[in-house]
Each structure stands twice: as structure tokens, then as C-alpha cells.
Amino acid sequence: MEKKNHISLRTFCERHGVQESFVYSMYEFELVQMDHGQDGAQLPLEELPLLEKMVRLHHELDINPEGIQAIHHLLQQVEELQKEVVSLRRKLDRLE
Amino acid sequence: MEYIDYYKVLGVDKGATAEEIKKQYRKLARKYHPDLNPNDSGAELNFKRINEAHEVLSDPDKRKKYDEYGKDWQHAEEFEKAKRSRGQSGQGGYSGYTYSGSGGSAEDFSDFFESMFGGSGSGFRSQRQKVRFRGQDYQTQLQLSLMDVYTAQKQTLTVNGKNIRLSIPAGVEDGQTIKIKGHGGPGIEGGPSGDLYITFSIVNNTDFKRDGADLFKTVNIPLVKAVLGGEIVVETLSGKVKLKVNPGTDNGTKVKLKGKGFPKYKKEGQFGDLILTYSVAIPKRLTPEQKSLFEALEKTKLE
């Protein structure tokens, strides 16, 4: 049984052709959330975009879970910096 | 439609082995993968190109056909057309060169590719689609003027043939992306739909500069008014306001008009401030009478 707004870990792994251990690694690294109930592990649907990105990095670029954790951290920094650049550009534009 | 040199795209020799092609493809994929290059459309396009090159050069049949026709590829197109008319390949309706941008997937090919290999028969592609569960995310851009986003907007967007009615809150920023949940591609076998991401491009053709909800404007005030004080009328986005200029106002003086700025995003009824910078205008042409008055002023040793 799948909870509302959740997908079972098993279904996710079957559809994406990925090992459950991979998703558990992401969970252990605190990159994604997972709920554990009587019916086994369940993934909230809002976690799917991020988890699918991780699966793509794993499948398409052969990046291991540790590498994905490092990439995730760096990408967060890149996105923060991009936001800061936009905000600084706006301020600069105002002064010109 | 131009010929695409797939060997050049991957940066390999015409005689490259399958192993060399694979190695070079992986190297470039790690560089341009959209998931590793957030908000970089250039990287996305490069990724699409190398995927297409790899799709052709890693498949012995496609590579053979590509090498055989080479720059004479238009004959291949004719060949494909003839094949299609015989009903051997029924795929058509390739609609442009768009990239859905859900990251990682490269499901669109150039017209060149389509004309040479047709729209069907890509094992690579069908394999990718099988592993998907959640629908694709769609990305689109919407251009509005600053005055458009001064008030809440209702817009109808057409995305992939579907009309989506949209309420855009006032105060959207230039470059801001909003997510419309569930309006992306449909999920596969009961999977959830993807999301629609709309990035706003706000064109500012007003005299105001904007930083978040605050607006900035430079206002010229006459020299005499700056010295003696007086009243001026200033245009704001919500209408004209009358302002008192204090006697002895310096050039560059800043005045903040609270609540006369831009609406705060998703905070109905709240506005930022309008910050005015006074620029004291020095008169360039004086009548003889005005000139003599300034000279008289000079004699008073006014500093």
C-alpha cells in the first residue's frame, strides 16, 4: 500500500532501474527524506525531482553516492552565489 | 538546415574507435550535464549536441550511414522521404528544436538528425522514457513590463497545446521563477505529473530603477528652490505627489517616500519605498538681469 502523496521505495527503484541501497545512501546522507511505515519505505512525492536528479547523475555520469553528496553541496553554493550575483547586479544597475 | 559534423562536436578523429568515442562523450557529458550547470542554457545546448553526436557515432549502423552520406546528407533525406512514402516509417511532426529542460534528458534532436535518421527507432530514447515515472518538468519564459507586474495579472499561457490560466501576484521580480505544480508532462503509468516552471523577464521602460520592492528615481530641482526651499511635484507609480523642499537642500539629498514603491511579492497591500535623489539643476543660460543679480549676490561674499 502506498500512502497518499508518497511512492513506495520499491516502485521508485523498479521504475528508475536503481538499487534500493542507492536511495538509502541518499537518505543516510540526509539529502532526501523517507518515511518508514508498516508497508515499507515510502518516498514523499515532493522528493522526486531531487532524487531523480541524483539518479541521473548516478546513471548518466557514473557518480557514486559520495560524489553526489559533494555535488549537491557545491550546487547549493552555486545557486546561492547566482542569487547573490543577480541581487548585486540589480544594485549596480541602480547606481549607474 | 545545416550539416552537423558530429566528429567535431565530440572532438574526435573520423577514425576514432568506439572506446575513444565513449570516453570523449563521457568527458564532455560530465562538463555540460544540465544537472551540473544550473541556469546555464549554453551548457544545456552543448549537452544536447554531444548527446546527438553520441547517439549517431556510438551506433554502428547510424555511424555507417552518416559516414557514407557525409556532406551529401541531403540524398539521405530524399532516401528517408522515399522510405516514409512507402509507409515503412510513420513518424513525423517533429516540432522544432526545443529542450524540455528537466535536466539530464536529451530527447530532442536537430532537424539534421531527424532528416537523416527519422524520428523513430531510437533505442536510446525509448530506454530513457521507460525509466521515467514522474512526468517531465516544463520550462517557459514570460515577458512582462514593469507596469504589468505593478498589479496582479491574469494570463493564459499555452504550453504544449494546453491552455493554462495563471494568476501572477503583483511584485514579481525580473528573473524570478515560479513553479506551477502538476502542469508539466503527464506521469507514466500512474506517476505524478511534472511541474511547469515560468521564468519572468521584466522589462523596465520607466524612469524608476527597482531593487526588490524599493524604487529609485533622480529628481531635478531648480537651484533657487534648493536654496530658498519650496514645493515640487513628483510622479510616482501611484500618481503625482507634492513635496516640500527644505531651504538649503544639498545636491544628492535623498528623500524616502514610505509605501510609494513597488508592491511586495505575495504581501497584499504592502509596498516598498520610493527613494528620490535630488539633483540640483544649475542654470546655464541667464538673462542679463539674472546675471546681475548673481553678481550682486557674489558681492555679498556668500559662500
Side-chain angles (χ1 to χ4, degrees), chain A residues 15 56 62 82 93-94, chain B residues 35 39 103 131 133 209 216:
Chain A
R15 297 290 181 88
R56 286 195 296 271
D62 282 340
Q82 283 179 340
D93 174 55
R94 179 158 65 72
Chain B
D35 286 326
N39 307 316
V131 298
F133 172 63
K209 297 217 167 170
F216 298 82

Side-chain angles (χ1 to χ4, degrees), chain B residues 75-109:
Chain B
H75 291 295
E77 189 178 19
E78 281 160 25
F79 172 72
E80 285 298 325
K81 267 185 199 155
K83 234 171 75 173
R84 270 202 286 274
S85 68
R86 289 201 301 273
Q88 290 179 3
S89 164
Q91 189 103 2
Y94 177 70
S95 56
Y97 202 50
T98 53
Y99 182 70
S100 65
S102 65
S105 58
E107 289 164 7
D108 295 319
F109 293 109

Side-chain angles (χ1 to χ4, degrees), chain B:
Chain B
M1 202 192 311
E2 278 181 32
Y3 171 77
I4 299 174
D5 187 340
Y6 289 133
Y7 291 99
K8 209 170 158 186
V9 171
L10 283 188
V12 293
D13 291 335
K14 287 229 155 62
T17 63
E19 192 53 41
E20 282 165 349
I21 285 168
K22 188 177 167 191
K23 200 174 156 191
Q24 183 66 6
Y25 165 71
R26 298 198 79 87
K27 184 177 146 190
L28 292 173
R30 278 194 295 270
K31 187 171 173 185
Y32 294 121
H33 198 286
D35 286 326
L36 298 180
N37 294 276
N39 307 316
D40 184 348
S41 53
E44 241 177 59
L45 188 63
N46 274 325
F47 185 67
K48 192 163 62 173
R49 285 182 180 143
I50 60 163
N51 264 310
E52 183 172 310
H54 179 252
E55 170 79 11
V56 174
L57 300 184
S58 66
D59 178 327
D61 291 340
K62 284 199 182 78
R63 187 177 177 185
K64 196 176 161 215
K65 186 178 172 187
Y66 175 74
D67 287 344
E68 209 173 299
Y69 288 103
K71 290 200 175 178
D72 222 7
W73 60 275
Q74 267 147 329
H75 291 295
E77 189 178 19
E78 281 160 25
F79 172 72
E80 285 298 325
K81 267 185 199 155
K83 234 171 75 173
R84 270 202 286 274
S85 68
R86 289 201 301 273
Q88 290 179 3
S89 164
Q91 189 103 2
Y94 177 70
S95 56
Y97 202 50
T98 53
Y99 182 70
S100 65
S102 65
S105 58
E107 289 164 7
D108 295 319
F109 293 109
S110 67
D111 290 347
F112 172 77
F113 179 95
E114 298 284 336
S115 73
M116 185 171 262
F117 303 105
S120 61
S122 165
F124 172 76
R125 216 184 318 189
S126 48
Q127 189 192 355
R128 272 169 175 270
Q129 282 185 344
K130 256 183 217 159
V131 298
R132 186 174 283 141
F133 172 63
R134 185 177 160 272
Q136 254 185 317
D137 288 336
Y138 293 158
Q139 311 245 356
T140 189
Q141 279 235 346
L142 188 57
Q143 189 176 311
L144 295 169
S145 75
L146 190 70
M147 286 315 288
D148 287 337
V149 292
Y150 184 66
T151 48
Q153 287 282 308
K154 289 217 186 298
Q155 293 258 341
T156 305
L157 278 187
T158 307
V159 180
N160 279 27
K162 275 188 194 161
N163 284 341
I164 297 166
R165 281 164 65 164
L166 213 72
S167 292
I168 304 163
V172 167
E173 299 247 12
D174 184 36
Q176 186 177 340
T177 301
I178 61 170
K179 182 169 95 173
I180 313 287
K181 216 170 174 288
H183 279 90
I188 288 151
E189 291 172 29
S193 294
D195 301 323
L196 168 66
Y197 289 87
I198 303 170
T199 303
F200 292 93
S201 164
I202 311 291
V203 181
N204 182 0
N205 42 20
T206 70
D207 293 338
F208 300 92
K209 297 217 167 170
R210 180 184 177 197
D211 186 7
D214 291 334
L215 292 175
F216 298 82
K217 188 180 180 179
T218 301
V219 177
N220 287 329
I221 52 168
L223 174 68
V224 174
K225 216 166 261 183
V227 175
L228 302 177
E231 276 187 349
I232 54 166
V233 175
V234 175
E235 289 267 6
T236 73
L237 284 184
S238 56
K240 288 180 179 173
V241 291
K242 208 181 267 183
L243 293 177
K244 208 172 147 188
V245 177
N246 290 329
T249 293
D250 274 324
N251 188 40
T253 298
K254 286 188 176 4
V255 176
K256 188 192 272 185
L257 303 186
K258 272 205 165 295
K260 289 283 177 192
F262 217 68
K264 291 188 177 174
Y265 182 69
K266 285 200 169 171
K267 286 182 180 166
E268 216 174 313
Q270 291 188 38
F271 287 76
D273 303 327
L274 169 61
I275 292 114
L276 301 175
T277 304
Y278 287 150
S279 171
V280 177
I282 306 295
K284 298 282 185 295
R285 285 182 192 166
L286 300 174
T287 61
E289 190 193 354
Q290 287 166 337
K291 197 179 172 197
S292 62
L293 285 170
F294 267 102
E295 282 163 355
L297 202 57
E298 195 183 19
K299 282 182 192 142
T300 66
K301 304 232 159 78
L302 177 70
E303 289 284 317

Side-chain angles (χ1 to χ4, degrees), chain A residues 1-65:
Chain A
M1 271 285 285
E2 283 178 6
K3 279 164 68 182
K4 203 180 165 216
N5 296 326
H6 282 67
I7 172 177
S8 76
L9 175 64
R10 181 180 295 173
T11 309
F12 178 86
C13 290
E14 278 170 9
R15 297 290 181 88
H16 289 80
V18 69
Q19 303 266 333
E20 290 190 10
S21 60
F22 172 82
V23 181
Y24 271 109
S25 299
M26 299 297 104
Y27 172 68
E28 279 158 19
F29 290 157
E30 297 180 351
L31 300 182
V32 291
Q33 289 189 12
M34 194 153 49
D35 296 339
H36 299 275
Q38 287 179 332
D39 306 314
Q42 307 266 327
L43 293 160
L45 291 185
E46 66 260 23
E47 292 291 322
L48 290 191
L50 179 62
L51 195 53
E52 285 177 347
K53 179 160 108 176
M54 290 161 178
V55 171
R56 286 195 296 271
L57 292 173
H58 184 52
H59 274 169
E60 295 172 18
L61 301 178
D62 282 340
I63 295 170
N64 66 14

